[in-house]
Structure formats: structure tokens, C-alpha cells
Amino acid sequence: DTAVSQTPKYLVTQMGNDKSIKCEQNLGHDTMYWYKQDSKKFLKIMFSYNNKELIINETVPNRFSPKSPDKAHLNLHINSLELGDSAVYFCASSRAEAMNTEAFFGQGTRLTVV
Amino acid sequence: AQTVTQSQPEMSVQEAETVTLSCTYDTSESDYYLFWYKQPPSRQMILVIRQEAYKQQNATENRFSVNFQKAAKSFSLKISDSQLGDAAMYFCAYRSVDSGYALNFGKGTSLLVTP
């Protein structure tokens, strides 16, 4: 059983398109995250949701909109894709109150905008 | 805001030898948690070791250990008896309530293991 699964694994799309990346966790965690890893491998937090409530919204363009229909899912929708959006996007989950415990990551989605 | 600095973009170690990856962080908080994650070419993020700031004892997990110096805000990772499978990107990360429970990562150190 995959703990945190995100789909698709690879996504190639043209500039200007709208796309979504889905994420699901079966660990019973109450907090989910989206991270962006750029071409230099730098991992940066984009959003954090705790019990479906947004608690972190870093400086991310409005074209990025997370949606959490329930505690087990956090999807990422991106409008009007730009070349600079090309990156690997990671979903993760954890238990907020148990901060010493592991955050589990999905396998990443490599987004390529052409 | 908390910042995490990994000053070594790349490191190299021979198989069976020991290597230390450095990490420093900046925070005004007293309660926080530190982690090392490994990212092999498969892209999967794997937890290597964790340390609670309130614990003075350095964490150890098999061949992996940390040197946690709270006053110096330093959290280095030592890998003993290096193996080819240890080759990966290693990320130091900080987590606290003020970080919104999220991990703040350093820029990573790419570790090469040579036979």
C-alpha cells in the first residue's frame, strides 16, 4: 500500500494550459503539504493544510490553487501554465501535533511546460 | 523566518570511509525538530534521522549519526562505513509550530560514493 500517492508521475503540457495534480494519503494524517523542487533541487514549501484548513500559503502565484476535499486529499490546480512552472512537485503528509515524527512524501510529479 | 544552510553543494567519499555533511540553521525558537532526508535518483524522499531540540543526546540510526550543537545551531550528519547505496542528495530540514508544521529545507548536498 502506497502511503502518499500522487498522480500523474509525469506531466508534459503546453504553455497556457490548466492542469491538476492529485494527492492522496492513507496514513490518517491531519496535515498535508505541497512542495516545489526546482532544477537546482531546492525544495520549497508552497502550501500546508491542516484538517482541510489552509495554514501556510507561501509566496506562490495566484495561478496555483490547492483544494482539499477531505483530510486524505490535497490536489493542486495550476492555471495558465508558464515555462517557469516546470519543476518536480511533491505532496507530503504528517501528523501536526507529533512534530518529531516523519513526514511522508509522494513520489513526485515532474511537470514540464513546453 | 527560519533558514537552513547547507554549505557543501557536493561531497565525495570512498566506500567504507566516513563522511560528515554540515548543516546550520537560524531560529529564535526554543522548541523545534531537525531532520535529515535522503533523495536518491529515484526521487523518493527518505527520512534518515531526526533530532528533537530539547534532547541533548545525539541521535543515531545504524551507520548514521548526528552532531547536534544547539548553541551553535549546527546539525551535522555523519555517515560511517559509506556504501554505494548512500549516494544521493541529502537535505537538512527544520520543523516547528511557527513553520506551520512544514519542513524548511536546506539546499541539499549531493553525496558521491566512489568504490
Side-chain angles (χ1 to χ4, degrees):
Chain A
D1 270 351
T2 304
V4 180
S5 61
Q6 52 183 108
T7 53
K9 197 172 179 180
Y10 297 95
L11 183 54
V12 181
T13 187
Q14 287 188 323
M15 280 176 58
N17 283 350
D18 303 339
K19 289 293 177 186
S20 292
I21 306 172
K22 295 186 176 181
C23 180
E24 175 182 6
Q25 55 97 1
N26 62 4
L27 297 165
H29 288 164
D30 57 0
T31 307
M32 295 185 72
Y33 315 85
W34 277 107
Y35 288 85
K36 178 180 180 180
Q37 186 172 41
D38 63 22
S39 58
K40 295 183 179 179
K41 303 288 189 182
F42 183 42
L43 270 161
K44 186 170 168 56
I45 183 72
M46 298 174 67
F47 301 103
S48 172
Y49 270 73
N50 177 254
N51 287 317
K52 303 199 305 175
E53 298 288 329
L54 179 66
I55 56 172
I56 291 178
N57 183 355
E58 290 295 320
T59 308
V60 176
N62 291 340
R63 299 181 294 101
F64 289 79
S65 55
K67 297 263 190 313
S68 182
D70 55 58
K71 285 199 303 184
H73 295 84
L74 181 63
N75 303 322
L76 184 64
H77 189 74
I78 316 170
N79 290 328
S80 303
L81 278 155
E82 300 178 357
L83 293 177
D85 297 332
S86 296
V88 179
Y89 293 85
F90 284 94
C91 177
S93 74
S94 70
R95 287 193 297 137
E97 290 183 3
M99 283 196 295
N100 62 328
T101 58
E102 182 176 356
F104 287 84
F105 286 76
Q107 75 273 36
T109 296
R110 180 176 293 282
L111 171 65
T112 304
V113 183
V114 298
Chain B
Q2 305 86 10
T3 56
V4 179
T5 302
Q6 293 179 250
S7 59
Q8 306 152 316
E10 292 180 350
M11 289 286 283
S12 182
V13 63
Q14 269 196 315
E15 220 175 343
E17 297 296 310
T18 295
V19 64
T20 298
L21 309 184
S22 66
C23 173
T24 59
Y25 57 93
D26 186 22
T27 184
S28 57
E29 298 177 279
S30 58
D31 191 20
Y32 53 87
Y33 301 82
L34 298 165
F35 302 82
W36 278 98
Y37 274 83
K38 168 184 176 181
Q39 187 181 39
S42 67
R43 218 164 65 196
Q44 186 64 45
M45 295 292 289
I46 302 165
L47 177 68
V48 175
I49 199 164
R50 76 194 88 184
Q51 175 81 43
E52 292 92 337
Y54 63 84
K55 286 188 178 179
Q56 291 188 345
Q57 187 172 5
N58 289 325
T60 300
E61 289 285 344
N62 300 316
R63 297 183 295 107
F64 299 88
S65 61
V66 298
N67 183 2
F68 174 49
Q69 302 289 329
K70 190 171 183 178
K73 295 179 183 173
S74 170
F75 182 60
S76 60
L77 174 70
K78 185 169 88 170
I79 307 174
S80 304
D81 186 25
S82 297
Q83 300 175 359
L84 294 177
D86 294 334
M89 281 290 288
Y90 285 82
F91 293 96
C92 179
Y94 172 105
R95 190 179 186 195
S96 69
V97 172
D98 281 359
S99 75
Y101 315 118
L103 292 162
N104 284 335
F105 287 95
K107 292 192 174 182
T109 297
S110 177
L111 179 65
L112 175 67
V113 182
T114 56

